Amino acid sequence: MTTARVPAAVRRPRLVHRLLAGVAPRAAEIGRLRQENAALLAQVRTRADELDLATRMLAARAQTMTSVIDAVTEQSIIGTDRDGVIRVWNPGAERMLGLPRPEVVRKRSIVEFHLAEELEAEAAACGAAPGLGVLVHAAQEHGSDVRDWTYVAADGQERTVSVAVTPRTDDRGVHAGWNFVGTDMTEVRATERMKDQFVSLISHELRTPLTSILGYLELVLDEDGEPLTDEQRSYLATVERNADRLLRLVGDLLFTAQVDAGRFTLDPRDVDLADVVRAAEESARVTAAGAGVDLVVDLPDGGVVVPGDAVRLGQACDNLVSNAVKFTPSGGRVTLSLRSGWATADGAVSAEPRPGAAPVAQLAVSDTGMGIPTGEQGELFTRFFRSSTARRHAVPGVGLGLAITKAITTAHGGTLGLTSAEGRGTTFTLTLPRTVA
């Protein structure tokens, strides 16, 4: 059996047809790949442009931050890694600690510039790890910390520095180290110590002779053997009144010095605030009557017991009442109001208990006097501050009473609020934790 042969002229068109049939899809595939390649090249160029822009922006931001840090010359700015090795050292640090940047960065630890004895004492007190752990343990717990530390400069000079410590993160938000911003407080703290020492010294020196004067005045006034004339008794009563005033002022100065030095202590026990208010009203009654001021007391039927120091709470209440009487013109009124209540976390106080509310006592001392300008109310509890209304109306005082009252209130875990409008009177509200039977 023989096979017929296909002529060559017939075979060639078929072969060409098959070749062309295979080339067409590949040409389409090549075209598609070229398009994808062009798209990828365009994306690469775009990403490259974005990366270049981001790099330039980061460089500009870094340059801006560096220029800002370098512009700070009055405060030291020191940045460290997680181990305390210094990475940032601004001109303020150079000036404060006496070393140029190249001698410190990546070569020294922040711990080396602290007083070793102070770090050891703090480590023992707080139980933190020695070295860097002592400096940053509070910032680790609370997110930041500000306190006085002793810096030791290159020449051995010690400086009292208020240091703000905050954690530092990298661009991914990962903890990368710590920032230490220091303000030299050496002269300020020295001045404060001298001032406190002066106040304490003068107060002690004045208290002794004043006590003696008052003692002898009491003997003279109570002498039965040789009765005094009415005129003599009047003169001596004036002397006694002013000596008492001076003695109270000395006591106030001593108290403020104790508060500043952290030596203010309490003798806590259960205290009925109603008794404290009655005593304050009795003390101010004569002065109020002489000034033509009506004194009104509004007390609940039962007692209002708080944990605290009866003497200090009495001092706070006396200050509020005497201030109210002094700032109220003749014909006005001062009201002492005591209530029990319940305070929520946001500070709101209601008469009825609420879920999560704490029992409190509220003492409000209101007057119809000259009031306090709004712009001055924030400074009213500052030592020696006197409002413009007090100066304008020549109201006597040195500006210690409210500062003392605020310190006493804070020491008892309470708050002291103020509502006032010039020409329309003032209300001070003292809120204290209350004992519930």
PDB file of all heavy atoms in Angstrom, residues 235-250:
ATOM      1  N   TYR A 235      -6.581 102.189 127.235  1.00  0.00           N
ATOM      2  CA  TYR A 235      -5.265 102.203 126.582  1.00  0.00           C
ATOM      3  C   TYR A 235      -4.650 100.801 126.563  1.00  0.00           C
ATOM      4  O   TYR A 235      -4.136 100.338 125.534  1.00  0.00           O
ATOM      5  CB  TYR A 235      -4.313 103.158 127.305  1.00  0.00           C
ATOM      6  CG  TYR A 235      -4.685 104.619 127.183  1.00  0.00           C
ATOM      7  CD1 TYR A 235      -4.217 105.547 128.117  1.00  0.00           C
ATOM      8  CD2 TYR A 235      -5.496 105.075 126.152  1.00  0.00           C
ATOM      9  CE1 TYR A 235      -4.556 106.883 128.023  1.00  0.00           C
ATOM     10  CE2 TYR A 235      -5.845 106.416 126.055  1.00  0.00           C
ATOM     11  CZ  TYR A 235      -5.375 107.321 126.989  1.00  0.00           C
ATOM     12  OH  TYR A 235      -5.703 108.647 126.893  1.00  0.00           O
ATOM     13  N   LEU A 236      -4.697 100.135 127.712  1.00  0.00           N
ATOM     14  CA  LEU A 236      -4.096  98.801 127.796  1.00  0.00           C
ATOM     15  C   LEU A 236      -4.858  97.779 126.941  1.00  0.00           C
ATOM     16  O   LEU A 236      -4.253  96.855 126.392  1.00  0.00           O
ATOM     17  CB  LEU A 236      -4.059  98.339 129.248  1.00  0.00           C
ATOM     18  CG  LEU A 236      -3.062  99.089 130.154  1.00  0.00           C
ATOM     19  CD1 LEU A 236      -3.199  98.643 131.603  1.00  0.00           C
ATOM     20  CD2 LEU A 236      -1.635  98.875 129.667  1.00  0.00           C
ATOM     21  N   ALA A 237      -6.166  97.955 126.814  1.00  0.00           N
ATOM     22  CA  ALA A 237      -6.947  97.055 125.962  1.00  0.00           C
ATOM     23  C   ALA A 237      -6.540  97.216 124.492  1.00  0.00           C
ATOM     24  O   ALA A 237      -6.474  96.230 123.743  1.00  0.00           O
ATOM     25  CB  ALA A 237      -8.436  97.328 126.124  1.00  0.00           C
ATOM     26  N   THR A 238      -6.234  98.441 124.097  1.00  0.00           N
ATOM     27  CA  THR A 238      -5.749  98.682 122.729  1.00  0.00           C
ATOM     28  C   THR A 238      -4.398  98.012 122.509  1.00  0.00           C
ATOM     29  O   THR A 238      -4.150  97.382 121.471  1.00  0.00           O
ATOM     30  CB  THR A 238      -5.629 100.193 122.461  1.00  0.00           C
ATOM     31  OG1 THR A 238      -6.913 100.810 122.638  1.00  0.00           O
ATOM     32  CG2 THR A 238      -5.123 100.449 121.049  1.00  0.00           C
ATOM     33  N   VAL A 239      -3.526  98.142 123.515  1.00  0.00           N
ATOM     34  CA  VAL A 239      -2.221  97.490 123.417  1.00  0.00           C
ATOM     35  C   VAL A 239      -2.393  95.979 123.315  1.00  0.00           C
ATOM     36  O   VAL A 239      -1.745  95.304 122.484  1.00  0.00           O
ATOM     37  CB  VAL A 239      -1.352  97.852 124.643  1.00  0.00           C
ATOM     38  CG1 VAL A 239      -0.065  97.036 124.631  1.00  0.00           C
ATOM     39  CG2 VAL A 239      -1.037  99.341 124.661  1.00  0.00           C
ATOM     40  N   GLU A 240      -3.265  95.414 124.141  1.00  0.00           N
ATOM     41  CA  GLU A 240      -3.477  93.964 124.133  1.00  0.00           C
ATOM     42  C   GLU A 240      -4.057  93.505 122.800  1.00  0.00           C
ATOM     43  O   GLU A 240      -3.633  92.480 122.249  1.00  0.00           O
ATOM     44  CB  GLU A 240      -4.424  93.579 125.270  1.00  0.00           C
ATOM     45  CG  GLU A 240      -4.631  92.067 125.392  1.00  0.00           C
ATOM     46  CD  GLU A 240      -5.566  91.725 126.528  1.00  0.00           C
ATOM     47  OE1 GLU A 240      -6.534  92.491 126.751  1.00  0.00           O
ATOM     48  OE2 GLU A 240      -5.352  90.692 127.174  1.00  0.00           O
ATOM     49  N   ARG A 241      -4.982  94.274 122.253  1.00  0.00           N
ATOM     50  CA  ARG A 241      -5.609  93.895 120.980  1.00  0.00           C
ATOM     51  C   ARG A 241      -4.572  93.875 119.850  1.00  0.00           C
ATOM     52  O   ARG A 241      -4.532  92.955 119.036  1.00  0.00           O
ATOM     53  CB  ARG A 241      -6.736  94.875 120.659  1.00  0.00           C
ATOM     54  CG  ARG A 241      -7.527  94.496 119.410  1.00  0.00           C
ATOM     55  CD  ARG A 241      -8.813  95.314 119.293  1.00  0.00           C
ATOM     56  NE  ARG A 241      -8.544  96.745 119.219  1.00  0.00           N
ATOM     57  CZ  ARG A 241      -8.783  97.596 120.224  1.00  0.00           C
ATOM     58  NH1 ARG A 241      -9.288  97.162 121.376  1.00  0.00           N
ATOM     59  NH2 ARG A 241      -8.544  98.887 120.085  1.00  0.00           N
ATOM     60  N   ASN A 242      -3.722  94.874 119.818  1.00  0.00           N
ATOM     61  CA  ASN A 242      -2.709  94.924 118.755  1.00  0.00           C
ATOM     62  C   ASN A 242      -1.606  93.892 118.963  1.00  0.00           C
ATOM     63  O   ASN A 242      -1.056  93.356 117.997  1.00  0.00           O
ATOM     64  CB  ASN A 242      -2.117  96.327 118.657  1.00  0.00           C
ATOM     65  CG  ASN A 242      -3.052  97.296 117.958  1.00  0.00           C
ATOM     66  OD1 ASN A 242      -3.166  97.294 116.739  1.00  0.00           O
ATOM     67  ND2 ASN A 242      -3.759  98.112 118.729  1.00  0.00           N
ATOM     68  N   ALA A 243      -1.287  93.598 120.218  1.00  0.00           N
ATOM     69  CA  ALA A 243      -0.309  92.538 120.490  1.00  0.00           C
ATOM     70  C   ALA A 243      -0.864  91.192 120.048  1.00  0.00           C
ATOM     71  O   ALA A 243      -0.133  90.359 119.479  1.00  0.00           O
ATOM     72  CB  ALA A 243       0.045  92.520 121.976  1.00  0.00           C
ATOM     73  N   ASP A 244      -2.150  90.967 120.294  1.00  0.00           N
ATOM     74  CA  ASP A 244      -2.792  89.734 119.823  1.00  0.00           C
ATOM     75  C   ASP A 244      -2.747  89.644 118.301  1.00  0.00           C
ATOM     76  O   ASP A 244      -2.497  88.583 117.723  1.00  0.00           O
ATOM     77  CB  ASP A 244      -4.249  89.676 120.294  1.00  0.00           C
ATOM     78  CG  ASP A 244      -4.371  89.156 121.713  1.00  0.00           C
ATOM     79  OD1 ASP A 244      -3.527  88.336 122.111  1.00  0.00           O
ATOM     80  OD2 ASP A 244      -5.307  89.568 122.415  1.00  0.00           O
ATOM     81  N   ARG A 245      -2.974  90.777 117.657  1.00  0.00           N
ATOM     82  CA  ARG A 245      -2.935  90.811 116.197  1.00  0.00           C
ATOM     83  C   ARG A 245      -1.541  90.461 115.675  1.00  0.00           C
ATOM     84  O   ARG A 245      -1.386  89.691 114.727  1.00  0.00           O
ATOM     85  CB  ARG A 245      -3.361  92.194 115.711  1.00  0.00           C
ATOM     86  CG  ARG A 245      -3.370  92.357 114.212  1.00  0.00           C
ATOM     87  CD  ARG A 245      -3.763  93.777 113.834  1.00  0.00           C
ATOM     88  NE  ARG A 245      -3.632  93.995 112.402  1.00  0.00           N
ATOM     89  CZ  ARG A 245      -3.775  95.178 111.828  1.00  0.00           C
ATOM     90  NH1 ARG A 245      -4.050  96.248 112.571  1.00  0.00           N
ATOM     91  NH2 ARG A 245      -3.636  95.302 110.529  1.00  0.00           N
ATOM     92  N   LEU A 246      -0.520  91.021 116.305  1.00  0.00           N
ATOM     93  CA  LEU A 246       0.851  90.719 115.913  1.00  0.00           C
ATOM     94  C   LEU A 246       1.184  89.248 116.149  1.00  0.00           C
ATOM     95  O   LEU A 246       1.854  88.611 115.336  1.00  0.00           O
ATOM     96  CB  LEU A 246       1.834  91.601 116.693  1.00  0.00           C
ATOM     97  CG  LEU A 246       2.021  93.034 116.197  1.00  0.00           C
ATOM     98  CD1 LEU A 246       2.904  93.810 117.161  1.00  0.00           C
ATOM     99  CD2 LEU A 246       2.652  93.028 114.804  1.00  0.00           C
ATOM    100  N   LEU A 247       0.698  88.708 117.251  1.00  0.00           N
ATOM    101  CA  LEU A 247       0.966  87.308 117.559  1.00  0.00           C
ATOM    102  C   LEU A 247       0.314  86.390 116.529  1.00  0.00           C
ATOM    103  O   LEU A 247       0.902  85.381 116.118  1.00  0.00           O
ATOM    104  CB  LEU A 247       0.465  86.975 118.965  1.00  0.00           C
ATOM    105  CG  LEU A 247       0.919  85.638 119.553  1.00  0.00           C
ATOM    106  CD1 LEU A 247       2.439  85.577 119.654  1.00  0.00           C
ATOM    107  CD2 LEU A 247       0.287  85.412 120.918  1.00  0.00           C
ATOM    108  N   ARG A 248      -0.884  86.743 116.090  1.00  0.00           N
ATOM    109  CA  ARG A 248      -1.545  85.948 115.050  1.00  0.00           C
ATOM    110  C   ARG A 248      -0.770  86.021 113.740  1.00  0.00           C
ATOM    111  O   ARG A 248      -0.623  85.023 113.024  1.00  0.00           O
ATOM    112  CB  ARG A 248      -2.988  86.436 114.840  1.00  0.00           C
ATOM    113  CG  ARG A 248      -3.956  86.018 115.941  1.00  0.00           C
ATOM    114  CD  ARG A 248      -5.400  86.210 115.501  1.00  0.00           C
ATOM    115  NE  ARG A 248      -5.686  87.605 115.164  1.00  0.00           N
ATOM    116  CZ  ARG A 248      -6.076  88.523 116.052  1.00  0.00           C
ATOM    117  NH1 ARG A 248      -6.230  88.192 117.325  1.00  0.00           N
ATOM    118  NH2 ARG A 248      -6.335  89.748 115.674  1.00  0.00           N
ATOM    119  N   LEU A 249      -0.254  87.213 113.421  1.00  0.00           N
ATOM    120  CA  LEU A 249       0.524  87.377 112.200  1.00  0.00           C
ATOM    121  C   LEU A 249       1.800  86.539 112.257  1.00  0.00           C
ATOM    122  O   LEU A 249       2.175  85.884 111.278  1.00  0.00           O
ATOM    123  CB  LEU A 249       0.878  88.853 111.985  1.00  0.00           C
ATOM    124  CG  LEU A 249       1.779  89.170 110.793  1.00  0.00           C
ATOM    125  CD1 LEU A 249       1.148  88.693 109.495  1.00  0.00           C
ATOM    126  CD2 LEU A 249       2.075  90.670 110.727  1.00  0.00           C
ATOM    127  N   VAL A 250       2.464  86.538 113.401  1.00  0.00           N
ATOM    128  CA  VAL A 250       3.668  85.723 113.572  1.00  0.00           C
ATOM    129  C   VAL A 250       3.330  84.243 113.390  1.00  0.00           C
ATOM    130  O   VAL A 250       4.053  83.495 112.732  1.00  0.00           O
ATOM    131  CB  VAL A 250       4.302  85.982 114.954  1.00  0.00           C
ATOM    132  CG1 VAL A 250       5.388  84.955 115.249  1.00  0.00           C
ATOM    133  CG2 VAL A 250       4.878  87.381 115.023  1.00  0.00           C
TER     134      VAL A 250
END
